[in-house]
Amino acid sequence: MNIEKKGKTADVFLSGDLIGEASGEFVRKMNELVSEDMKRFNIDFSSVSHIDSYSLSNLIVLCDKSDLEFTFKNISRSVSNIFDVIKLNKQVLIE
């Protein structure tokens, strides 16, 4: 995972599926960014075809926070289907 910070915006580039250890790292990094007072997140899912419940639940909690904004980019069909089922696509901008 690569993170580029610009003011209160974090561009997050994921480097593989969000499962196992990568999922734990994603959750830790996202929570660190929130605690650093980041407000806008652009997450690139181009390398992600699977996402586990730990990462997914963390995304749901973060996206429910009214002071945070999210944009998801380059989402695979399988991940998009998951976001559709849980209605996350209604809470974030998907490019």
Side-chain angles (χ1 to χ4, degrees):
M1 174 176 6
N2 184 25
I3 300 170
E4 296 175 6
K5 300 175 189 176
K6 300 172 195 156
K8 299 248 182 217
T9 300
D11 294 328
V12 180
F13 301 91
L14 302 172
S15 55
D17 291 337
L18 292 176
I19 56 175
E21 188 177 314
S23 179
E25 178 188 6
F26 172 73
V27 170
R28 277 190 305 281
K29 295 284 187 184
M30 289 300 294
N31 289 325
E32 286 173 13
L33 291 169
V34 170
S35 68
E36 292 173 16
D37 205 30
M38 292 291 173
K39 297 296 183 189
R40 178 114 183 81
F41 298 88
N42 301 313
I43 304 176
D44 187 319
F45 285 87
S46 58
S47 299
V48 179
S49 58
H50 294 90
I51 182 170
D52 68 13
S53 59
Y54 186 49
S55 290
L56 191 58
S57 64
N58 183 258
L59 276 175
I60 292 168
V61 168
L62 292 177
C63 289
D64 279 343
K65 293 184 181 225
S66 61
D67 61 333
L68 302 179
E69 295 179 34
F70 289 85
T71 300
F72 295 167
K73 300 176 182 183
N74 303 313
I75 301 173
S76 71
R77 189 65 167 146
S78 59
V79 173
S80 178
N81 288 340
I82 293 169
F83 290 167
D84 288 347
V85 168
I86 62 170
K87 307 290 187 224
L88 198 56
N89 60 336
K90 303 286 186 198
Q91 293 177 274
V92 302
L93 176 62
I94 297 180
E95 294 181 346

